[in-house]
Amino acid sequence: MKKAHVIMLLLLCLVGYSAFGQADSSSEEPNLINTEMLKKMTVAIENQTYPNVHSVLIHYKGNLVFEKYFSGKDESWGTDLGVVEHGENTLHDLRSLTKSIVSICFGLAIQNGFIENVEEKVFTYFPEYGDLNIGLHQEITLKHLLTMTSGLEWNEDLPYTNPKNSETAMVMSDDPIRYVLSRPLQESPGSVWNYNGGTTELLSVILHKATGLNIEEFAVEYLFKPLEIDTYYWTKAPGQEHPIAASGLRMLPSDILKIGVVLLQDGYYKGEELLNKQWVEESFTSHVKRGKNGGYGYQFWIDQSPDGKEPNKLVTAVGNGDQRIYLDKSKQLVVVTTAGNYNIWDLEKGSFQLLTDFIYPALEK
């Protein structure tokens, strides 16, 4: 009889905590979310009304309330993988969501004393390119790289198969860093947002110079190991050993979610501070206007909440193909999606529509 009581106590302890070290409130709130609405979402994904979605994970009020995987056509950094049966152990491209991981690592580098602050001048780290450190180029700071406000000429609006696409040209260049730093200035640094994967590559090289570890090595030591993440792949640039910081990371959706939950918890994991709260707040602050209604933080996109009630409250890590981490701190919500809609820029039924059509309505029970 005593043995049975001990087993029962152990089971209660196990179910009382989620995988992220948070107390599980499901015993207090058994109906956190409208599951019927999520069932409708699953059917809509399976019948391709919302095409080629590969996974949806929802963490709400300290609980993993939804985790579902779907089969679909996929790629690995442009290489066709055919139809993949996605599951909890299937790696997935992050594409430009990798940029947000780089930003987190940059914050960890500052936190650990490798880099002083975001106001340092970029060319401080590149004396070998002193011939380019002229005019307003001298004013470009680390913060300008983080917020994509360097002012450097850059065009990623062209297809990535087009050699005139600036990121493609950078990757194929014999000297990618010189290619980025040599771009003429179109705007004064800090004044205008322009999407620029080259600045993320600069951040990763600066981190390497400051720490002696490349971006992959640093991420493993200071982010992945503390979060118990051991399954990933980081694509290298063609003919180089340097990991592609702007788009090269592949991870498990559950590990992407883990990072999202840490950010939602102001940098804490299992009750211990991993990432400085101030860095999270700065990353999630809109430092510059982006388009008509959006903003941009430190490699994170800032937008209005899908319910229209919370301006500048939805923080998103964004990757080509509809890879997303959506963070809504006011609702204690993290949503991760992966999909195979690469280079489809006019997708009408994508992950954001899953938020507006199903996920946010499901929160209202």
Side-chain angles (χ1 to χ4, degrees):
M1 193 68 174
K2 288 182 179 179
K3 185 176 181 181
H5 279 299
V6 171
I7 292 172
M8 181 60 70
L9 284 171
L10 286 171
L11 287 172
L12 287 171
C13 289
L14 285 171
V15 300
Y17 293 86
S18 75
F20 304 99
Q22 288 282 296
D24 189 339
S25 60
S26 60
S27 59
E28 299 173 0
E29 298 182 79
N31 299 309
L32 283 172
I33 196 164
N34 186 333
T35 56
E36 290 302 314
M37 186 66 72
L38 298 183
K39 287 179 183 177
K40 292 179 181 178
M41 178 178 71
T42 300
V43 171
I45 292 171
E46 289 176 337
N47 67 23
Q48 295 297 304
T49 301
Y50 299 77
N52 208 13
V53 174
H54 297 161
S55 72
V56 180
L57 294 82
I58 305 172
H59 194 272
Y60 181 52
K61 292 187 175 180
N63 297 268
L64 178 63
V65 297
F66 187 85
E67 182 177 10
K68 187 78 173 177
Y69 299 92
F70 309 87
S71 63
K73 291 188 65 176
D74 201 9
E75 299 177 4
S76 175
W77 212 68
T79 300
D80 187 1
L81 299 178
V83 175
V84 176
E85 297 290 334
H86 292 276
E88 60 183 4
N89 296 316
T90 309
L91 289 172
H92 203 286
D93 272 16
L94 301 193
R95 297 298 175 96
S96 287
L97 196 153
T98 306
K99 294 178 173 69
S100 299
I101 306 299
V102 172
S103 172
I104 292 169
C105 288
F106 212 80
L108 288 168
I110 292 175
Q111 182 175 316
N112 285 277
F114 294 110
I115 295 170
E116 186 174 348
N117 58 58
V118 299
E119 300 301 334
E120 288 187 88
K121 299 293 175 59
V122 167
F123 275 93
T124 300
Y125 291 90
F126 296 104
E128 66 271 35
Y129 298 110
D131 60 304
L132 303 176
N133 188 20
I134 55 175
L136 287 178
H137 280 75
Q138 301 173 80
E139 303 304 316
I140 303 173
T141 66
L142 305 183
K143 185 174 182 178
H144 295 147
L145 302 185
L146 286 161
T147 57
M148 293 197 182
T149 59
S150 66
L152 295 170
E153 178 185 86
W154 199 263
N155 183 5
E156 287 192 46
D157 292 334
L158 299 169
Y160 288 99
T161 53
N162 188 327
K164 292 184 178 180
N165 178 297
S166 297
E167 182 165 322
T168 301
M170 172 191 70
V171 170
M172 302 308 296
S173 170
D174 292 335
D175 188 343
I177 301 308
R178 175 170 286 277
Y179 178 84
V180 179
L181 292 174
S182 67
R183 297 304 91 200
L185 278 170
Q186 288 186 317
E187 308 286 349
S188 299
S191 62
V192 176
W193 181 84
N194 181 43
Y195 192 76
N196 184 337
T199 59
T200 310
E201 293 294 338
L202 291 181
L203 288 169
S204 74
V205 174
I206 289 168
L207 186 146
H208 193 176
K209 285 171 172 276
T211 69
L213 302 173
N214 69 32
I215 184 62
E216 178 181 352
E217 295 165 339
F218 186 91
V220 168
E221 188 64 28
Y222 288 90
L223 182 63
F224 294 171
K225 282 184 179 178
L227 291 180
E228 302 165 280
I229 294 171
D230 55 17
T231 304
Y232 74 94
Y233 179 78
W234 209 315
T235 303
K236 307 298 190 296
Q240 301 181 35
E241 290 302 313
H242 188 70
I244 299 173
S247 62
L249 190 55
R250 288 172 62 80
M251 294 181 68
L252 302 178
S254 58
D255 287 337
I256 305 170
L257 180 69
K258 187 181 290 187
I259 291 172
V261 172
V262 168
L263 294 171
L264 189 77
Q265 297 172 173
D266 294 322
Y268 278 78
Y269 178 65
K270 292 187 175 180
E272 299 288 333
E273 183 184 68
L274 172 65
L275 180 63
N276 184 275
K277 179 181 179 180
Q278 182 180 351
W279 183 263
V280 178
E281 291 176 346
E282 289 180 10
S283 297
F284 290 2
T285 297
S286 181
H287 296 275
V288 63
K289 187 174 181 180
R290 192 197 85 244
K292 186 176 181 181
N293 298 312
Y296 201 72
Y298 289 171
Q299 310 277 289
F300 285 90
W301 304 60
I302 318 295
D303 290 290
Q304 181 170 296
S305 176
D307 59 14
K309 299 175 182 178
E310 303 280 355
N312 297 324
K313 288 295 183 181
L314 185 68
V315 177
T316 312
V318 174
N320 182 359
D322 221 8
Q323 326 315 322
R324 300 288 188 270
I325 306 175
Y326 292 109
L327 296 127
D328 189 333
K329 296 188 73 171
S330 68
K331 296 188 180 299
Q332 302 176 57
L333 175 70
V334 183
V335 177
V336 165
T337 67
T338 61
N341 298 305
Y342 305 107
N343 301 316
I344 301 175
W345 310 114
D346 56 353
L347 186 66
E348 294 182 0
K349 293 286 188 177
S351 61
F352 189 79
Q353 284 67 43
L354 292 177
L355 292 184
T356 58
D357 296 351
F358 299 104
I359 297 173
Y360 271 71
L363 304 183
E364 300 173 2
K365 294 186 291 186

